[in-house]
Amino acid sequence: MADMTELKRQAGEKAVEFIQSGMVVGLGTGSTAVHAVRAVGRLLQAGQLQNIVAIPTSEVTAAEAHSLQIPLVTFDTHPVIDITIDGADEADPNLDVIKGLGGALLREKIVAAVSKRFVIVADYSKRVTQLGTQAPVPVEVIPFAERPVRDYLQSLGARVEKRLDGDKRPYRTDENNIILDSYFGPIADPHQLAAAIRQQPGVVEHGLFLNMATDVILATFDGIEHITRP
Ligand code: 5RP
């Protein structure tokens, strides 16, 4: 029987089937997206994909892509991305997702926003009927604004935890910001919450990715489920 790592691999590799030679590809971050990155590297090496250039969503993914000799570019030369493949922490039936438990939500959202196709890859455990059921909403905040933003998120009903790194020090993003993981519980109106979070000065970005994914690929023990936006 497949284990969770195998399911993540299946989801990541399924999405890579949508990549064609000559495309500009957004490379996601996390333990699922990395399988897509590795598959792109293998296909390039084998010559089955050609003339691919990529934009990574984090320094970690940039290093992985570099080690696989995937050519990396920037928005200066490639402002539009053909397809981005990235993971998620929760995905609902509307293809709305929560992202950012891997800490890369800011660059991930920037990349997703300029992607013609934005494919979420995940194992079945990320499927929820309502966002917020399992995961917090990660909120990226400039350190100076920590206290007012924390107070504000609490006033919106969240239990707020400042994210720590493996050494129990405040986690810093690639942009040197902090993350406040905000536990709202099941979110009745994600659009309203997203708009409310945005209003507070010092909030850089949040992990609600709404109306962005074009596809969700969920790997289950019974096979791959591919959900697309109608
Ligand atoms: C990183 C992310 C990840 O894509 C998300 O946390 C899912 O990661 P994983 O596939 O390791 O469960 O949003 O910021």
Side-chain angles (χ1 to χ4, degrees):
M1 185 195 269
D3 64 11
M4 289 308 243
T5 303
E6 171 62 12
L7 292 184
K8 288 170 192 241
R9 187 188 66 74
Q10 288 175 8
E13 293 186 357
K14 178 71 189 169
V16 171
E17 293 176 13
F18 307 145
I19 300 177
Q20 293 169 7
S21 292
M23 282 187 165
V24 182
V25 180
L27 300 175
T29 298
S31 61
T32 315
V34 72
H35 292 286
V37 177
R38 289 176 185 155
V40 170
R42 280 197 304 274
L43 292 169
L44 274 174
Q45 288 302 314
Q48 290 170 261
L49 277 179
Q50 292 168 344
N51 301 321
I52 294 292
V53 292
I55 296 187
T57 54
S58 64
E59 296 298 328
V60 168
T61 298
E64 181 80 29
H66 187 69
S67 75
L68 296 165
Q69 296 171 346
I70 301 173
L72 297 180
V73 293
T74 68
F75 293 129
D76 292 337
T77 52
H78 296 78
V80 177
I81 295 176
D82 292 301
I83 180 169
T84 290
I85 301 171
D86 206 346
D89 304 302
E90 286 188 352
D92 79 4
N94 300 322
L95 286 77
D96 289 333
V97 304
I98 290 178
K99 288 181 53 52
L101 289 194
L105 67 114
L106 175 56
R107 292 192 191 184
E108 289 174 336
K109 198 175 274 190
I110 293 167
V111 167
V114 295
S115 298
K116 293 186 205 164
R117 194 169 181 184
F118 178 40
V119 184
I120 292 292
V121 289
D123 63 76
Y124 69 92
S125 71
K126 308 295 182 62
R127 186 209 321 260
V128 294
T129 50
Q130 211 173 357
L131 293 182
T133 309
Q134 300 177 168
V137 177
V139 181
E140 181 157 345
V141 177
I142 66 163
F144 179 74
E146 177 181 347
R147 179 62 195 259
V149 173
R150 173 191 286 270
D151 290 349
Y152 179 71
L153 292 168
Q154 285 171 345
S155 79
L156 295 178
R159 177 173 63 80
V160 179
E161 281 181 16
K162 182 176 179 177
R163 190 175 301 179
L164 303 178
D165 65 17
D167 297 324
K168 301 259 189 290
R169 286 195 292 254
Y171 177 86
R172 290 298 184 121
T173 68
D174 284 343
E175 254 62 46
N176 208 24
N177 294 314
I178 59 168
I179 290 185
L180 297 179
D181 284 315
S182 303
Y183 292 81
F184 288 95
I187 300 166
D189 188 340
H191 289 270
Q192 188 187 40
L193 179 61
I197 294 172
R198 278 208 159 280
Q199 280 180 11
Q200 180 67 20
V203 169
V204 181
E205 197 45 84
H206 57 75
L208 287 163
F209 285 52
L210 310 177
N211 289 337
M212 296 187 91
T214 55
D215 306 63
V216 172
I217 293 180
L218 284 178
T220 78
F221 290 121
D222 298 323
I224 296 279
E225 284 181 32
H226 182 189
I227 311 157
T228 54
R229 199 169 281 285

